[in-house]
Amino acid sequence: MAGSDKEKVIAPGQPDESHLVLRLRGTETPKMPQGNINLSAGAIEKIETWVKAGARLDAGIDPK
């Protein structure tokens, strides 16, 4: 989630400020996934919902 010193990859609770979401939507470059592959709108919506909910990891996974 930390990304670089300048910007975070995921801003928990803020999908419109999360670079991961913006790249999946194609509103920021480089687009993800790269190439001619696109995620479905439903898949992107699930990720947006996860970010809105705080982008928490599954229980039992070490966040480090």
Side-chain angles (χ1 to χ4, degrees):
M1 282 195 211
S4 69
D5 292 337
K6 295 181 181 182
E7 54 193 24
K8 292 183 177 184
V9 174
I10 298 172
Q14 303 174 42
D16 293 334
E17 296 180 26
S18 297
H19 295 284
L20 172 66
V21 174
L22 297 174
R23 289 179 183 199
L24 291 173
R25 290 178 184 162
T27 57
E28 182 176 285
T29 57
K31 179 186 137 321
M32 288 179 59
Q34 294 183 352
N36 293 327
I37 301 168
N38 292 312
L39 293 179
S40 69
I44 294 171
E45 185 177 328
K46 286 181 183 181
I47 294 168
E48 290 173 352
T49 299
W50 173 70
V51 173
K52 283 180 192 176
R56 300 194 44 92
L57 294 174
D58 292 337
I61 296 177
D62 183 357
K64 296 177 186 173

